[in-house]
Amino acid sequence: IVEQGFESRFDIDPSGQIVLFEQFCPWKDHIDTIEEEVVQKNPEAAKILYVLYPDTSNAWRVQAVPERPGSFKSRHPLPEAWRGLRDEALSERSGVEGCIFIHQSGFIGGNKTRDGALELARKSLTMD
């Protein structure tokens, strides 16, 4: 599942920095291993910044990739301007419908739809 998501990342976003899984699976160690192999072949390869997956309530999560497995520091946390916001306040601030939350630290957020989670991730690529 992780390899398939990694291989199709450019179909999800032209940056290649967003991976989407159609079901949840443990991914952190696998992403790191796959990236190491890719970087050995191409040192300029872009690192994955966000992983999207459905949660148990059929909503979608956007999770920032940690700097390394086991780290609590994200490579590119979700935007500071969105952190700690929920529901309509977050949808209004982000310009993305269906928002559920962005964690205070910016490591994870939620949206009611796949497209909404993807839009949050895409907008986050260019924000701090």
mmCIF file with all atom_site columns, all heavy atoms in Angstrom, residues 18-41:
data_model
loop_
_atom_site.group_PDB
_atom_site.id
_atom_site.type_symbol
_atom_site.label_atom_id
_atom_site.label_alt_id
_atom_site.label_comp_id
_atom_site.label_asym_id
_atom_site.label_entity_id
_atom_site.label_seq_id
_atom_site.pdbx_PDB_ins_code
_atom_site.Cartn_x
_atom_site.Cartn_y
_atom_site.Cartn_z
_atom_site.occupancy
_atom_site.B_iso_or_equiv
_atom_site.pdbx_formal_charge
_atom_site.auth_seq_id
_atom_site.auth_comp_id
_atom_site.auth_asym_id
_atom_site.auth_atom_id
_atom_site.pdbx_PDB_model_num
ATOM 1   N N   . ILE A 1 18 ? 2.916  14.888 -1.769 1.00 0.00 ? 18 ILE A N   1
ATOM 2   C CA  . ILE A 1 18 ? 1.715  14.430 -1.070 1.00 0.00 ? 18 ILE A CA  1
ATOM 3   C C   . ILE A 1 18 ? 1.442  12.983 -1.487 1.00 0.00 ? 18 ILE A C   1
ATOM 4   O O   . ILE A 1 18 ? 1.393  12.672 -2.675 1.00 0.00 ? 18 ILE A O   1
ATOM 5   C CB  . ILE A 1 18 ? 0.493  15.308 -1.421 1.00 0.00 ? 18 ILE A CB  1
ATOM 6   C CG1 . ILE A 1 18 ? 0.742  16.771 -1.040 1.00 0.00 ? 18 ILE A CG1 1
ATOM 7   C CG2 . ILE A 1 18 ? -0.768 14.769 -0.742 1.00 0.00 ? 18 ILE A CG2 1
ATOM 8   C CD1 . ILE A 1 18 ? -0.302 17.740 -1.570 1.00 0.00 ? 18 ILE A CD1 1
ATOM 9   N N   . VAL A 1 19 ? 1.280  12.123 -0.497 1.00 0.00 ? 19 VAL A N   1
ATOM 10  C CA  . VAL A 1 19 ? 0.945  10.719 -0.751 1.00 0.00 ? 19 VAL A CA  1
ATOM 11  C C   . VAL A 1 19 ? -0.456 10.480 -0.211 1.00 0.00 ? 19 VAL A C   1
ATOM 12  O O   . VAL A 1 19 ? -0.801 10.959 0.862  1.00 0.00 ? 19 VAL A O   1
ATOM 13  C CB  . VAL A 1 19 ? 1.956  9.774  -0.061 1.00 0.00 ? 19 VAL A CB  1
ATOM 14  C CG1 . VAL A 1 19 ? 1.477  8.340  -0.101 1.00 0.00 ? 19 VAL A CG1 1
ATOM 15  C CG2 . VAL A 1 19 ? 3.323  9.894  -0.716 1.00 0.00 ? 19 VAL A CG2 1
ATOM 16  N N   . LEU A 1 20 ? -1.257 9.738  -0.959 1.00 0.00 ? 20 LEU A N   1
ATOM 17  C CA  . LEU A 1 20 ? -2.623 9.442  -0.552 1.00 0.00 ? 20 LEU A CA  1
ATOM 18  C C   . LEU A 1 20 ? -2.811 7.934  -0.475 1.00 0.00 ? 20 LEU A C   1
ATOM 19  O O   . LEU A 1 20 ? -2.452 7.214  -1.409 1.00 0.00 ? 20 LEU A O   1
ATOM 20  C CB  . LEU A 1 20 ? -3.610 10.050 -1.549 1.00 0.00 ? 20 LEU A CB  1
ATOM 21  C CG  . LEU A 1 20 ? -5.079 9.917  -1.177 1.00 0.00 ? 20 LEU A CG  1
ATOM 22  C CD1 . LEU A 1 20 ? -5.831 11.183 -1.544 1.00 0.00 ? 20 LEU A CD1 1
ATOM 23  C CD2 . LEU A 1 20 ? -5.706 8.716  -1.859 1.00 0.00 ? 20 LEU A CD2 1
ATOM 24  N N   . PHE A 1 21 ? -3.338 7.472  0.644  1.00 0.00 ? 21 PHE A N   1
ATOM 25  C CA  . PHE A 1 21 ? -3.700 6.065  0.819  1.00 0.00 ? 21 PHE A CA  1
ATOM 26  C C   . PHE A 1 21 ? -5.217 5.976  0.868  1.00 0.00 ? 21 PHE A C   1
ATOM 27  O O   . PHE A 1 21 ? -5.851 6.750  1.584  1.00 0.00 ? 21 PHE A O   1
ATOM 28  C CB  . PHE A 1 21 ? -3.126 5.492  2.119  1.00 0.00 ? 21 PHE A CB  1
ATOM 29  C CG  . PHE A 1 21 ? -1.630 5.582  2.217  1.00 0.00 ? 21 PHE A CG  1
ATOM 30  C CD1 . PHE A 1 21 ? -1.032 6.161  3.318  1.00 0.00 ? 21 PHE A CD1 1
ATOM 31  C CD2 . PHE A 1 21 ? -0.821 5.093  1.216  1.00 0.00 ? 21 PHE A CD2 1
ATOM 32  C CE1 . PHE A 1 21 ? 0.351  6.247  3.416  1.00 0.00 ? 21 PHE A CE1 1
ATOM 33  C CE2 . PHE A 1 21 ? 0.560  5.174  1.301  1.00 0.00 ? 21 PHE A CE2 1
ATOM 34  C CZ  . PHE A 1 21 ? 1.143  5.749  2.411  1.00 0.00 ? 21 PHE A CZ  1
ATOM 35  N N   . GLU A 1 22 ? -5.786 5.034  0.151  1.00 0.00 ? 22 GLU A N   1
ATOM 36  C CA  . GLU A 1 22 ? -7.233 4.849  0.152  1.00 0.00 ? 22 GLU A CA  1
ATOM 37  C C   . GLU A 1 22 ? -7.715 4.158  1.424  1.00 0.00 ? 22 GLU A C   1
ATOM 38  O O   . GLU A 1 22 ? -8.902 4.103  1.690  1.00 0.00 ? 22 GLU A O   1
ATOM 39  C CB  . GLU A 1 22 ? -7.687 4.066  -1.082 1.00 0.00 ? 22 GLU A CB  1
ATOM 40  C CG  . GLU A 1 22 ? -7.481 4.815  -2.389 1.00 0.00 ? 22 GLU A CG  1
ATOM 41  C CD  . GLU A 1 22 ? -8.336 6.064  -2.551 1.00 0.00 ? 22 GLU A CD  1
ATOM 42  O OE1 . GLU A 1 22 ? -9.364 6.208  -1.852 1.00 0.00 ? 22 GLU A OE1 1
ATOM 43  O OE2 . GLU A 1 22 ? -7.976 6.911  -3.385 1.00 0.00 ? 22 GLU A OE2 1
ATOM 44  N N   . GLN A 1 23 ? -6.785 3.615  2.213  1.00 0.00 ? 23 GLN A N   1
ATOM 45  C CA  . GLN A 1 23 ? -7.105 3.045  3.520  1.00 0.00 ? 23 GLN A CA  1
ATOM 46  C C   . GLN A 1 23 ? -5.929 3.329  4.438  1.00 0.00 ? 23 GLN A C   1
ATOM 47  O O   . GLN A 1 23 ? -4.804 3.514  3.969  1.00 0.00 ? 23 GLN A O   1
ATOM 48  C CB  . GLN A 1 23 ? -7.352 1.542  3.424  1.00 0.00 ? 23 GLN A CB  1
ATOM 49  C CG  . GLN A 1 23 ? -6.120 0.747  3.025  1.00 0.00 ? 23 GLN A CG  1
ATOM 50  C CD  . GLN A 1 23 ? -6.422 -0.724 2.837  1.00 0.00 ? 23 GLN A CD  1
ATOM 51  O OE1 . GLN A 1 23 ? -7.291 -1.069 2.044  1.00 0.00 ? 23 GLN A OE1 1
ATOM 52  N NE2 . GLN A 1 23 ? -5.725 -1.571 3.551  1.00 0.00 ? 23 GLN A NE2 1
ATOM 53  N N   . PHE A 1 24 ? -6.190 3.375  5.736  1.00 0.00 ? 24 PHE A N   1
ATOM 54  C CA  . PHE A 1 24 ? -5.106 3.624  6.671  1.00 0.00 ? 24 PHE A CA  1
ATOM 55  C C   . PHE A 1 24 ? -4.177 2.420  6.738  1.00 0.00 ? 24 PHE A C   1
ATOM 56  O O   . PHE A 1 24 ? -4.615 1.279  6.643  1.00 0.00 ? 24 PHE A O   1
ATOM 57  C CB  . PHE A 1 24 ? -5.632 3.921  8.082  1.00 0.00 ? 24 PHE A CB  1
ATOM 58  C CG  . PHE A 1 24 ? -4.492 4.097  9.048  1.00 0.00 ? 24 PHE A CG  1
ATOM 59  C CD1 . PHE A 1 24 ? -3.782 5.278  9.071  1.00 0.00 ? 24 PHE A CD1 1
ATOM 60  C CD2 . PHE A 1 24 ? -4.103 3.060  9.870  1.00 0.00 ? 24 PHE A CD2 1
ATOM 61  C CE1 . PHE A 1 24 ? -2.703 5.435  9.927  1.00 0.00 ? 24 PHE A CE1 1
ATOM 62  C CE2 . PHE A 1 24 ? -3.019 3.203  10.740 1.00 0.00 ? 24 PHE A CE2 1
ATOM 63  C CZ  . PHE A 1 24 ? -2.323 4.394  10.761 1.00 0.00 ? 24 PHE A CZ  1
ATOM 64  N N   . CYS A 1 25 ? -2.902 2.697  6.886  1.00 0.00 ? 25 CYS A N   1
ATOM 65  C CA  . CYS A 1 25 ? -1.908 1.660  7.144  1.00 0.00 ? 25 CYS A CA  1
ATOM 66  C C   . CYS A 1 25 ? -0.727 2.315  7.844  1.00 0.00 ? 25 CYS A C   1
ATOM 67  O O   . CYS A 1 25 ? -0.527 3.519  7.731  1.00 0.00 ? 25 CYS A O   1
ATOM 68  C CB  . CYS A 1 25 ? -1.460 0.993  5.842  1.00 0.00 ? 25 CYS A CB  1
ATOM 69  S SG  . CYS A 1 25 ? -0.530 2.066  4.751  1.00 0.00 ? 25 CYS A SG  1
ATOM 70  N N   . PRO A 1 26 ? 0.056  1.548  8.585  1.00 0.00 ? 26 PRO A N   1
ATOM 71  C CA  . PRO A 1 26 ? 1.275  2.109  9.181  1.00 0.00 ? 26 PRO A CA  1
ATOM 72  C C   . PRO A 1 26 ? 2.214  2.522  8.042  1.00 0.00 ? 26 PRO A C   1
ATOM 73  O O   . PRO A 1 26 ? 2.491  1.721  7.151  1.00 0.00 ? 26 PRO A O   1
ATOM 74  C CB  . PRO A 1 26 ? 1.864  0.946  9.985  1.00 0.00 ? 26 PRO A CB  1
ATOM 75  C CG  . PRO A 1 26 ? 0.761  -0.053 10.119 1.00 0.00 ? 26 PRO A CG  1
ATOM 76  C CD  . PRO A 1 26 ? -0.138 0.150  8.941  1.00 0.00 ? 26 PRO A CD  1
ATOM 77  N N   . TRP A 1 27 ? 2.655  3.759  8.024  1.00 0.00 ? 27 TRP A N   1
ATOM 78  C CA  . TRP A 1 27 ? 3.400  4.246  6.866  1.00 0.00 ? 27 TRP A CA  1
ATOM 79  C C   . TRP A 1 27 ? 4.728  4.923  7.189  1.00 0.00 ? 27 TRP A C   1
ATOM 80  O O   . TRP A 1 27 ? 5.590  5.039  6.324  1.00 0.00 ? 27 TRP A O   1
ATOM 81  C CB  . TRP A 1 27 ? 2.541  5.216  6.062  1.00 0.00 ? 27 TRP A CB  1
ATOM 82  C CG  . TRP A 1 27 ? 1.991  6.365  6.855  1.00 0.00 ? 27 TRP A CG  1
ATOM 83  C CD1 . TRP A 1 27 ? 0.779  6.418  7.477  1.00 0.00 ? 27 TRP A CD1 1
ATOM 84  C CD2 . TRP A 1 27 ? 2.623  7.614  7.137  1.00 0.00 ? 27 TRP A CD2 1
ATOM 85  N NE1 . TRP A 1 27 ? 0.616  7.612  8.119  1.00 0.00 ? 27 TRP A NE1 1
ATOM 86  C CE2 . TRP A 1 27 ? 1.737  8.379  7.927  1.00 0.00 ? 27 TRP A CE2 1
ATOM 87  C CE3 . TRP A 1 27 ? 3.849  8.176  6.794  1.00 0.00 ? 27 TRP A CE3 1
ATOM 88  C CZ2 . TRP A 1 27 ? 2.038  9.663  8.378  1.00 0.00 ? 27 TRP A CZ2 1
ATOM 89  C CZ3 . TRP A 1 27 ? 4.162  9.454  7.245  1.00 0.00 ? 27 TRP A CZ3 1
ATOM 90  C CH2 . TRP A 1 27 ? 3.255  10.188 8.030  1.00 0.00 ? 27 TRP A CH2 1
ATOM 91  N N   . LYS A 1 28 ? 4.923  5.396  8.403  1.00 0.00 ? 28 LYS A N   1
ATOM 92  C CA  . LYS A 1 28 ? 6.080  6.250  8.693  1.00 0.00 ? 28 LYS A CA  1
ATOM 93  C C   . LYS A 1 28 ? 7.418  5.593  8.396  1.00 0.00 ? 28 LYS A C   1
ATOM 94  O O   . LYS A 1 28 ? 8.266  6.175  7.704  1.00 0.00 ? 28 LYS A O   1
ATOM 95  C CB  . LYS A 1 28 ? 6.027  6.750  10.134 1.00 0.00 ? 28 LYS A CB  1
ATOM 96  C CG  . LYS A 1 28 ? 4.884  7.718  10.353 1.00 0.00 ? 28 LYS A CG  1
ATOM 97  C CD  . LYS A 1 28 ? 4.791  8.148  11.791 1.00 0.00 ? 28 LYS A CD  1
ATOM 98  C CE  . LYS A 1 28 ? 3.530  8.970  11.989 1.00 0.00 ? 28 LYS A CE  1
ATOM 99  N NZ  . LYS A 1 28 ? 3.273  9.244  13.381 1.00 0.00 ? 28 LYS A NZ  1
ATOM 100 N N   . ASP A 1 29 ? 7.657  4.399  8.901  1.00 0.00 ? 29 ASP A N   1
ATOM 101 C CA  . ASP A 1 29 ? 8.932  3.724  8.645  1.00 0.00 ? 29 ASP A CA  1
ATOM 102 C C   . ASP A 1 29 ? 9.094  3.381  7.173  1.00 0.00 ? 29 ASP A C   1
ATOM 103 O O   . ASP A 1 29 ? 10.191 3.491  6.614  1.00 0.00 ? 29 ASP A O   1
ATOM 104 C CB  . ASP A 1 29 ? 9.054  2.443  9.480  1.00 0.00 ? 29 ASP A CB  1
ATOM 105 C CG  . ASP A 1 29 ? 9.234  2.739  10.961 1.00 0.00 ? 29 ASP A CG  1
ATOM 106 O OD1 . ASP A 1 29 ? 9.738  3.827  11.309 1.00 0.00 ? 29 ASP A OD1 1
ATOM 107 O OD2 . ASP A 1 29 ? 8.868  1.872  11.784 1.00 0.00 ? 29 ASP A OD2 1
ATOM 108 N N   . HIS A 1 30 ? 7.990  2.984  6.534  1.00 0.00 ? 30 HIS A N   1
ATOM 109 C CA  . HIS A 1 30 ? 8.045  2.582  5.132  1.00 0.00 ? 30 HIS A CA  1
ATOM 110 C C   . HIS A 1 30 ? 8.365  3.770  4.219  1.00 0.00 ? 30 HIS A C   1
ATOM 111 O O   . HIS A 1 30 ? 9.167  3.644  3.304  1.00 0.00 ? 30 HIS A O   1
ATOM 112 C CB  . HIS A 1 30 ? 6.736  1.924  4.699  1.00 0.00 ? 30 HIS A CB  1
ATOM 113 C CG  . HIS A 1 30 ? 6.415  0.702  5.486  1.00 0.00 ? 30 HIS A CG  1
ATOM 114 N ND1 . HIS A 1 30 ? 7.161  -0.443 5.441  1.00 0.00 ? 30 HIS A ND1 1
ATOM 115 C CD2 . HIS A 1 30 ? 5.414  0.447  6.367  1.00 0.00 ? 30 HIS A CD2 1
ATOM 116 C CE1 . HIS A 1 30 ? 6.651  -1.350 6.244  1.00 0.00 ? 30 HIS A CE1 1
ATOM 117 N NE2 . HIS A 1 30 ? 5.578  -0.832 6.825  1.00 0.00 ? 30 HIS A NE2 1
ATOM 118 N N   . ILE A 1 31 ? 7.742  4.909  4.478  1.00 0.00 ? 31 ILE A N   1
ATOM 119 C CA  . ILE A 1 31 ? 8.009  6.113  3.674  1.00 0.00 ? 31 ILE A CA  1
ATOM 120 C C   . ILE A 1 31 ? 9.485  6.467  3.780  1.00 0.00 ? 31 ILE A C   1
ATOM 121 O O   . ILE A 1 31 ? 10.144 6.772  2.786  1.00 0.00 ? 31 ILE A O   1
ATOM 122 C CB  . ILE A 1 31 ? 7.132  7.306  4.137  1.00 0.00 ? 31 ILE A CB  1
ATOM 123 C CG1 . ILE A 1 31 ? 5.676  7.116  3.728  1.00 0.00 ? 31 ILE A CG1 1
ATOM 124 C CG2 . ILE A 1 31 ? 7.672  8.648  3.625  1.00 0.00 ? 31 ILE A CG2 1
ATOM 125 C CD1 . ILE A 1 31 ? 5.344  7.472  2.299  1.00 0.00 ? 31 ILE A CD1 1
ATOM 126 N N   . ASP A 1 32 ? 10.023 6.426  4.990  1.00 0.00 ? 32 ASP A N   1
ATOM 127 C CA  . ASP A 1 32 ? 11.424 6.769  5.208  1.00 0.00 ? 32 ASP A CA  1
ATOM 128 C C   . ASP A 1 32 ? 12.349 5.842  4.417  1.00 0.00 ? 32 ASP A C   1
ATOM 129 O O   . ASP A 1 32 ? 13.284 6.299  3.751  1.00 0.00 ? 32 ASP A O   1
ATOM 130 C CB  . ASP A 1 32 ? 11.738 6.709  6.707  1.00 0.00 ? 32 ASP A CB  1
ATOM 131 C CG  . ASP A 1 32 ? 13.042 7.385  7.051  1.00 0.00 ? 32 ASP A CG  1
ATOM 132 O OD1 . ASP A 1 32 ? 13.169 8.598  6.757  1.00 0.00 ? 32 ASP A OD1 1
ATOM 133 O OD2 . ASP A 1 32 ? 13.940 6.713  7.595  1.00 0.00 ? 32 ASP A OD2 1
ATOM 134 N N   . THR A 1 33 ? 12.076 4.548  4.455  1.00 0.00 ? 33 THR A N   1
ATOM 135 C CA  . THR A 1 33 ? 12.899 3.569  3.736  1.00 0.00 ? 33 THR A CA  1
ATOM 136 C C   . THR A 1 33 ? 12.824 3.782  2.229  1.00 0.00 ? 33 THR A C   1
ATOM 137 O O   . THR A 1 33 ? 13.854 3.786  1.537  1.00 0.00 ? 33 THR A O   1
ATOM 138 C CB  . THR A 1 33 ? 12.440 2.132  4.082  1.00 0.00 ? 33 THR A CB  1
ATOM 139 O OG1 . THR A 1 33 ? 12.550 1.952  5.493  1.00 0.00 ? 33 THR A OG1 1
ATOM 140 C CG2 . THR A 1 33 ? 13.279 1.101  3.366  1.00 0.00 ? 33 THR A CG2 1
ATOM 141 N N   . ILE A 1 34 ? 11.627 3.978  1.713  1.00 0.00 ? 34 ILE A N   1
ATOM 142 C CA  . ILE A 1 34 ? 11.441 4.193  0.271  1.00 0.00 ? 34 ILE A CA  1
ATOM 143 C C   . ILE A 1 34 ? 12.153 5.472  -0.159 1.00 0.00 ? 34 ILE A C   1
ATOM 144 O O   . ILE A 1 34 ? 12.840 5.498  -1.185 1.00 0.00 ? 34 ILE A O   1
ATOM 145 C CB  . ILE A 1 34 ? 9.945  4.238  -0.097 1.00 0.00 ? 34 ILE A CB  1
ATOM 146 C CG1 . ILE A 1 34 ? 9.311  2.855  0.119  1.00 0.00 ? 34 ILE A CG1 1
ATOM 147 C CG2 . ILE A 1 34 ? 9.747  4.700  -1.536 1.00 0.00 ? 34 ILE A CG2 1
ATOM 148 C CD1 . ILE A 1 34 ? 7.795  2.856  0.074  1.00 0.00 ? 34 ILE A CD1 1
ATOM 149 N N   . GLU A 1 35 ? 12.017 6.535  0.625  1.00 0.00 ? 35 GLU A N   1
ATOM 150 C CA  . GLU A 1 35 ? 12.674 7.797  0.280  1.00 0.00 ? 35 GLU A CA  1
ATOM 151 C C   . GLU A 1 35 ? 14.194 7.650  0.261  1.00 0.00 ? 35 GLU A C   1
ATOM 152 O O   . GLU A 1 35 ? 14.850 8.220  -0.610 1.00 0.00 ? 35 GLU A O   1
ATOM 153 C CB  . GLU A 1 35 ? 12.287 8.897  1.264  1.00 0.00 ? 35 GLU A CB  1
ATOM 154 C CG  . GLU A 1 35 ? 10.958 9.506  0.977  1.00 0.00 ? 35 GLU A CG  1
ATOM 155 C CD  . GLU A 1 35 ? 10.646 10.671 1.887  1.00 0.00 ? 35 GLU A CD  1
ATOM 156 O OE1 . GLU A 1 35 ? 11.117 10.693 3.051  1.00 0.00 ? 35 GLU A OE1 1
ATOM 157 O OE2 . GLU A 1 35 ? 9.929  11.569 1.435  1.00 0.00 ? 35 GLU A OE2 1
ATOM 158 N N   . GLU A 1 36 ? 14.748 6.925  1.216  1.00 0.00 ? 36 GLU A N   1
ATOM 159 C CA  . GLU A 1 36 ? 16.204 6.718  1.240  1.00 0.00 ? 36 GLU A CA  1
ATOM 160 C C   . GLU A 1 36 ? 16.672 6.082  -0.067 1.00 0.00 ? 36 GLU A C   1
ATOM 161 O O   . GLU A 1 36 ? 17.689 6.498  -0.630 1.00 0.00 ? 36 GLU A O   1
ATOM 162 C CB  . GLU A 1 36 ? 16.605 5.834  2.419  1.00 0.00 ? 36 GLU A CB  1
ATOM 163 C CG  . GLU A 1 36 ? 16.622 6.553  3.739  1.00 0.00 ? 36 GLU A CG  1
ATOM 164 C CD  . GLU A 1 36 ? 17.000 5.633  4.899  1.00 0.00 ? 36 GLU A CD  1
ATOM 165 O OE1 . GLU A 1 36 ? 17.616 4.568  4.652  1.00 0.00 ? 36 GLU A OE1 1
ATOM 166 O OE2 . GLU A 1 36 ? 16.678 5.987  6.039  1.00 0.00 ? 36 GLU A OE2 1
ATOM 167 N N   . GLU A 1 37 ? 15.934 5.089  -0.547 1.00 0.00 ? 37 GLU A N   1
ATOM 168 C CA  . GLU A 1 37 ? 16.288 4.426  -1.804 1.00 0.00 ? 37 GLU A CA  1
ATOM 169 C C   . GLU A 1 37 ? 16.202 5.397  -2.977 1.00 0.00 ? 37 GLU A C   1
ATOM 170 O O   . GLU A 1 37 ? 17.074 5.420  -3.848 1.00 0.00 ? 37 GLU A O   1
ATOM 171 C CB  . GLU A 1 37 ? 15.375 3.230  -2.049 1.00 0.00 ? 37 GLU A CB  1
ATOM 172 C CG  . GLU A 1 37 ? 15.564 2.108  -1.047 1.00 0.00 ? 37 GLU A CG  1
ATOM 173 C CD  . GLU A 1 37 ? 14.495 1.021  -1.156 1.00 0.00 ? 37 GLU A CD  1
ATOM 174 O OE1 . GLU A 1 37 ? 13.681 1.055  -2.106 1.00 0.00 ? 37 GLU A OE1 1
ATOM 175 O OE2 . GLU A 1 37 ? 14.471 0.147  -0.272 1.00 0.00 ? 37 GLU A OE2 1
ATOM 176 N N   . VAL A 1 38 ? 15.165 6.218  -3.007 1.00 0.00 ? 38 VAL A N   1
ATOM 177 C CA  . VAL A 1 38 ? 14.975 7.176  -4.094 1.00 0.00 ? 38 VAL A CA  1
ATOM 178 C C   . VAL A 1 38 ? 16.068 8.238  -4.075 1.00 0.00 ? 38 VAL A C   1
ATOM 179 O O   . VAL A 1 38 ? 16.629 8.585  -5.118 1.00 0.00 ? 38 VAL A O   1
ATOM 180 C CB  . VAL A 1 38 ? 13.564 7.820  -4.020 1.00 0.00 ? 38 VAL A CB  1
ATOM 181 C CG1 . VAL A 1 38 ? 13.444 8.996  -4.966 1.00 0.00 ? 38 VAL A CG1 1
ATOM 182 C CG2 . VAL A 1 38 ? 12.501 6.781  -4.318 1.00 0.00 ? 38 VAL A CG2 1
ATOM 183 N N   . VAL A 1 39 ? 16.407 8.734  -2.894 1.00 0.00 ? 39 VAL A N   1
ATOM 184 C CA  . VAL A 1 39 ? 17.420 9.794  -2.774 1.00 0.00 ? 39 VAL A CA  1
ATOM 185 C C   . VAL A 1 39 ? 18.805 9.270  -3.176 1.00 0.00 ? 39 VAL A C   1
ATOM 186 O O   . VAL A 1 39 ? 19.609 10.023 -3.728 1.00 0.00 ? 39 VAL A O   1
ATOM 187 C CB  . VAL A 1 39 ? 17.422 10.389 -1.343 1.00 0.00 ? 39 VAL A CB  1
ATOM 188 C CG1 . VAL A 1 39 ? 18.632 11.259 -1.095 1.00 0.00 ? 39 VAL A CG1 1
ATOM 189 C CG2 . VAL A 1 39 ? 16.145 11.189 -1.122 1.00 0.00 ? 39 VAL A CG2 1
ATOM 190 N N   . GLN A 1 40 ? 19.080 7.993  -2.944 1.00 0.00 ? 40 GLN A N   1
ATOM 191 C CA  . GLN A 1 40 ? 20.359 7.423  -3.384 1.00 0.00 ? 40 GLN A CA  1
ATOM 192 C C   . GLN A 1 40 ? 20.490 7.499  -4.901 1.00 0.00 ? 40 GLN A C   1
ATOM 193 O O   . GLN A 1 40 ? 21.560 7.771  -5.428 1.00 0.00 ? 40 GLN A O   1
ATOM 194 C CB  . GLN A 1 40 ? 20.496 5.973  -2.921 1.00 0.00 ? 40 GLN A CB  1
ATOM 195 C CG  . GLN A 1 40 ? 20.810 5.851  -1.449 1.00 0.00 ? 40 GLN A CG  1
ATOM 196 C CD  . GLN A 1 40 ? 20.875 4.395  -0.988 1.00 0.00 ? 40 GLN A CD  1
ATOM 197 O OE1 . GLN A 1 40 ? 20.629 3.470  -1.759 1.00 0.00 ? 40 GLN A OE1 1
ATOM 198 N NE2 . GLN A 1 40 ? 21.191 4.207  0.280  1.00 0.00 ? 40 GLN A NE2 1
ATOM 199 N N   . LYS A 1 41 ? 19.382 7.293  -5.596 1.00 0.00 ? 41 LYS A N   1
ATOM 200 C CA  . LYS A 1 41 ? 19.378 7.349  -7.059 1.00 0.00 ? 41 LYS A CA  1
ATOM 201 C C   . LYS A 1 41 ? 19.298 8.787  -7.568 1.00 0.00 ? 41 LYS A C   1
ATOM 202 O O   . LYS A 1 41 ? 19.839 9.114  -8.620 1.00 0.00 ? 41 LYS A O   1
ATOM 203 C CB  . LYS A 1 41 ? 18.204 6.548  -7.621 1.00 0.00 ? 41 LYS A CB  1
ATOM 204 C CG  . LYS A 1 41 ? 18.287 5.071  -7.340 1.00 0.00 ? 41 LYS A CG  1
ATOM 205 C CD  . LYS A 1 41 ? 17.030 4.369  -7.816 1.00 0.00 ? 41 LYS A CD  1
ATOM 206 C CE  . LYS A 1 41 ? 16.997 2.934  -7.333 1.00 0.00 ? 41 LYS A CE  1
ATOM 207 N NZ  . LYS A 1 41 ? 15.693 2.315  -7.517 1.00 0.00 ? 41 LYS A NZ  1
#
